[in-house]
Structure formats: structure tokens, C-alpha cells
Amino acid sequence: MRVHHPVRRDVRAALAPLLACACGALGEQPFPERRNPTGVAPWSDLGPVEFCLGEVRVAPASASELGVCVPDDAPAPPACETDADCASRERCLCGRCTATACATDGDCGADMVCDLGQRYPRCARRCTAEAQCAAGEICQSERCRQGCDVDAECQHGEVCSFTFHVCITAHCPEVACLPTESCRPQRTPLALRGPSVLPHDGGLLLYAAAQDGIRRAVGASGTSFRLDPIEPVADGRAPSAIATDSGVTLLFERDGALWRAESDDGKTFGQAALALAADLRWEGGALAAPAAALDGEELLLAYAAASGAGIGLARGPIGGDLAKQDAPLLAPADVEDPLLWRGVATIGDPALLVVPGGPAGRGPILRIYFSALGTESSSSVELGQPRRPSPNASIGYAAAELAAPRPSVYAWNPVFDRTVAFLEHLEERAPAVVFHDGRYLLYYDAGEANIGVAVNPPIVPGE
């Protein structure tokens, strides 16, 4: 697992003399104790969030429907909470134990790999000797497998291959199930974007936008959620939810404006009312990506110009008229750095978090997370040819005193930027941060992988 630090090693030493006295936003130290949850940096990426639609796992929109053939007389798979509740070749997939079809090792959890040597790849345990497999299994091609003569000798989600006399998964609709079998779905495509997360009954409540509207999901661990209800709860994009005394207030984007809807249970929302429209010159005629937080009984609403020209702030009573600041709270030039974040062209996707007072007797602090499009890496040489890095979207951080928001930009932005081989930067947009179970969780748009999550303090291998 990679630990994502806001500064690359190749520049840290060179910058130390220049920034030895530099502080972060509002006096926060640039490199806080790594085991202390600060919610600023560094972060460990935990990978894609698992979403379940009933007993079916949600996959990116580019994926196809996928299931496994099971005998019609097979018993229902047992309920589970973790993989440890299941048999040796099964995984806990959306609350049910089953052999699991896969495409990569990432589909298989920490203790299994994707057995690509099978005609229909499935999650399997790696082995070098039969002693590492469960009773009755053999170690074949470094994978634990089960011999069989009939389906009843196999585990949930498996059938017996009468050709090879081994338990397999048969993927449907890729293959037609036998007349005595049915296709049990395991995967369905659904693009989810723009997460908003808040504490809920000891767990977490998450809203995200799908192709057909805003979806609601609940989860306990922070890495796995169940869509509830299975239908959209509102018509819009880029949701931001806050808990109020009367239920949930949902802000969202629709047709270049920001809208507000109320619900007493977080599932059924009333008719949406206009919250903000684009009426300032810098907003460019369209608003996007609302981000809501509460200051007592007052609503704070950050938002982005759809053009990426800046992030604005409005405030007012919950359910009442909101008053905007005339100038952007943050603009691209405010977060640009000549070395660490160059050529920042756009900024948007704000997220707000109110935390207790800062140093020197300051009042509550408004934390502002955002995404911005810029360049982090320097040019490199590959095969003797120069390679200029491409701009990409990463997550940045700023903070302000709640009483008079004038943001101080963190000195070591971006705070979250996934890299491959130090040079290839992946995209991260639409951050949402929540404190849960003694740690901060950062949810973000992960492009093709739907929504990802990172944790602070970071996970340190070997500790």
C-alpha cells in the first residue's frame, strides 16, 4: 500500500532551508506527527470504495453485467459480514458468501488473487503446497482448487466441470447456463461521482451522483456501502448533504444553478427549491459543486464556477436566502506554487469541514478541500527523449477562521496526489472528508474506478 505524501522526496531536501519556518494553513505544521489524525496530510490510499446494490456489486460504467451459473436446487448463500465468515474459496460479496468472478487482483480482497489461468477467472487463494489449502483441496498451478464429481461437492457460486472434474465458476451471460442452472448476478455497471459523506447512526451516510440521479448509501466500515434505497433520491448532480435537527438538507447542482431539498429520513426529499444562481461576473453564468457546512444555525455554502474560475462562499439561515461574497474565496492563482503545483488552470469541487478552534485562541476553523488542475512533476527523460508532464487534477487544502473566511493556503499542496512510478499522476476530484472511528477519511472521484477513499493518519507498512 502506498503512502501519498504532499511533497515528493526529490524536492523535500532542496526545499527544507527555504521552508523550515513555513507553516501550513493557520499555523498547522507542514509535517505533523504521522500517527496523529490531522485531516490535512499525509494520506494512505485505500483504493476503490465497494458499493452494493442489493446483493450485487456496483462496477464502473464501462464494465458489463456479470454473474455466475448456479444449480437451481443450490441453497441460498449464507449471510456474512467479512470474508472470514465464508468457506475457503468464497468471498463475502455484498453480504453473501460466494465464489467470486474477477478481472484483477483488486476484485479479490487482501487474502486472494484473481486466478486468470481459468477460462472464467475467479478469486482464489495462492499456494505453493497443499498444506496451505483447506481440507480436500489441491494446490494446482499455485492456486487452491477443489476436485469434484457433482455440483454438491462445490462451494456457493461454483459448479463442477465434468470435463476436468474441478469446481469452477461459469460466468453468465458470457456463457449460457445449463437448463438446470440459473444466472446469479454479481456485478452491475453504475457510474458514481461527487461523494458527500456524513456520520449516521455510528456509521456513515454517503450521497453520490449517478447517471439517473443522486443515490444514497449507508455503511459502517467506511470502505463498503449499500445503496439504500435502490432508486435515486433526487434529480441532480454533485450532492452535498448536512444533518439538521429535522433530518437531512441536500444541496445539489442542476442546470447551472444550485438547489436545495429537505428530508426527514434522508431518503424521501420534498420538492427542490432554488438556493443559488450565477449572478456575479466571475461565476461565468453557471454554478457547480455545492459544499455545505453548518456554523450553529447558519448555513455555509461553498460552490464553484462551472468554468473553474474560482470557488465562492455564501451564507445564511437554513432554508432561507443566502448572501454571497462578491469575490471568489479561492482562485487558481491563489493555490499555484512555482515548484510544487505549477500552472494551475482551474479550481473547483470544494468540500467544507468545521473543526474546533486553532492556535492562539482562534475560534472555529473552516477547512476547505478542493480539486485543481495543475502540474506537480518536473520534466523527465525517457529513452533519451524529454517528456513533459501533463497537467492533472489533484486535491488541495486551505483553511480560514470561521468568523471571517480569508483562506490561508496550505504550503505543501497538493495534499493528495496518486502517482505511478513517480511520474504518472492519476486524477483525483470532488473531495469529501469526514472523521470516523478515530481517523479522517477522504473520499474522491477516482475516474474509471468510481469513488476512492484514503485515510489519515496514513497506514505505515510494518507498524
Side-chain angles (χ1 to χ4, degrees), residues 96-147:
R96 294 288 179 178
C97 291
T98 180
T100 305
C102 61
T104 68
D105 289 347
D107 296 328
C108 297
D111 299 326
M112 289 186 169
V113 294
C114 189
D115 189 354
L116 298 173
Q118 297 290 297
R119 178 182 177 186
Y120 306 111
R122 49 84 55 83
C123 296
R125 298 191 184 279
R126 183 185 285 118
C127 62
T128 56
E130 288 187 8
Q132 297 171 316
C133 300
E137 295 179 347
I138 59 174
C139 183
Q140 185 182 69
S141 301
E142 297 187 349
R143 302 290 185 267
C144 292
R145 294 173 180 157
Q146 173 72 50

Side-chain angles (χ1 to χ4, degrees), residues 159-422:
V159 291
C160 185
S161 168
F162 301 128
T163 301
F164 300 103
H165 293 278
V166 66
C167 294
I168 63 168
T169 56
H171 296 185
C172 49
E174 180 180 347
V175 63
C177 298
L178 297 177
T180 56
E181 298 172 344
S182 58
C183 184
R184 179 174 292 161
Q186 288 196 349
R187 184 180 75 192
T188 188
L190 180 68
L192 294 171
R193 297 288 185 268
S196 175
V197 189
L198 63 157
H200 175 71
D201 289 344
L204 294 173
L205 177 60
L206 183 148
Y207 292 89
Q211 305 98 306
D212 53 0
I214 296 171
R215 298 296 191 114
R216 175 188 184 271
V218 292
S221 67
T223 58
S224 179
F225 290 84
R226 183 178 299 278
L227 295 177
D228 178 28
I230 62 173
E231 300 296 333
V233 297
D235 178 20
R237 300 176 59 240
S240 179
I242 54 172
T244 65
D245 292 339
S246 58
V248 174
T249 296
L250 187 67
L251 284 300
F252 53 89
E253 167 194 338
R254 186 200 297 166
D255 299 328
L258 304 185
W259 298 77
R260 173 176 49 213
E262 309 288 340
S263 172
D264 57 3
D265 62 2
K267 298 180 182 180
T268 304
F269 286 86
Q271 185 174 356
L274 182 66
L276 280 182
D279 53 13
L280 299 176
R281 177 174 295 182
W282 71 265
E283 295 169 345
L287 305 184
L294 290 178
D295 177 12
E297 296 298 318
E298 188 174 48
L299 175 67
L300 303 176
L301 182 62
Y303 61 92
S307 65
I311 292 172
L313 183 67
R315 58 198 311 161
I318 301 173
D321 293 336
L322 303 177
K324 294 180 182 177
Q325 292 184 180
D326 290 336
L329 189 68
L330 288 170
D334 297 329
V335 303
E336 186 166 334
D337 183 274
L339 184 59
L340 300 180
W341 214 355
R342 306 183 309 281
V344 175
T346 61
I347 187 171
D349 299 323
L352 302 182
L353 189 66
V354 177
V355 298
R362 290 190 175 105
I365 300 298
L366 179 65
R367 291 184 166 184
I368 308 161
Y369 303 86
F370 57 88
S371 65
L373 182 69
T375 302
E376 296 97 341
S377 289
S378 302
S379 297
S380 61
V381 176
E382 293 185 9
L383 301 176
Q385 299 296 319
R387 176 189 173 189
R388 295 179 62 85
S390 298
N392 72 102
S394 299
I395 306 300
Y397 172 77
E401 293 185 50
L402 195 57
R406 290 187 298 274
S408 175
V409 176
Y410 193 60
W412 299 88
N413 275 327
V415 294
F416 186 64
D417 170 37
R418 298 172 299 157
T419 60
V420 177
F422 298 100

Side-chain angles (χ1 to χ4, degrees), residues 76-91:
C80 59
E81 294 184 1
T82 69
D83 290 349
D85 299 328
C86 301
S88 60
R89 299 184 306 282
E90 298 172 347
R91 289 202 64 213

